[in-house]
Amino acid sequence: GAGRPDLFVVYHTAVQRKIDRTYIDTWGYGRRGRWRRGTVRVDSYREGTLIVDIIDAERRELVWRGVATGVVNDPERAEKKMLDAIERIFEAFPPGATS
């Protein structure tokens, strides 16, 4: 009927703290022969996930889902990154569309 939507757009966001550990192997030679020394580098960052669901309003069923993830450490750039993520997600909508 008039005034009833065909689709609903629902979005979900999440941010998780992630830790990357990188082991760096160092080999060398000393008086007692070959030695091995390693160091571990630890980097911490926040990874954001944006999920956009398109729901059929009449059947209340998921029609399509788009997902984007990225690093969100810089609050000053967060809005631009979110808009970029939305643009990337909708490049694949509608399903079967070609760019």
Side-chain angles (χ1 to χ4, degrees):
R4 295 182 68 190
D6 294 324
L7 301 171
F8 293 120
V9 178
V10 181
Y11 69 92
H12 319 273
T13 60
V15 177
Q16 289 184 316
R17 181 163 297 283
K18 298 280 189 163
I19 296 175
D20 272 346
R21 290 177 190 88
T22 305
Y23 183 78
I24 302 167
D25 238 348
T26 307
W27 291 91
Y29 291 91
R31 274 195 250 167
R32 294 189 176 148
R34 194 170 175 182
W35 53 266
R36 176 180 173 187
R37 178 179 56 201
T39 57
V40 176
R41 178 178 163 180
V42 178
D43 294 308
S44 175
Y45 63 95
R46 295 182 336 149
E47 180 181 79
T49 301
L50 171 64
I51 300 171
V52 177
D53 288 339
I54 304 294
I55 311 289
D56 182 297
E58 185 177 326
R59 295 189 325 247
R60 305 281 188 201
E61 293 178 1
L62 180 66
V63 174
W64 181 83
R65 171 172 277 179
V67 179
T69 60
V71 176
V72 291
N73 280 342
D74 186 355
E76 293 180 13
R77 296 189 60 220
E79 184 176 351
K80 180 176 180 349
K81 289 188 92 161
M82 179 73 78
L83 293 173
D84 290 346
I86 292 168
E87 188 174 307
R88 282 195 325 268
I89 286 173
F90 278 102
E91 285 175 356
F93 186 81
T98 57
S99 340

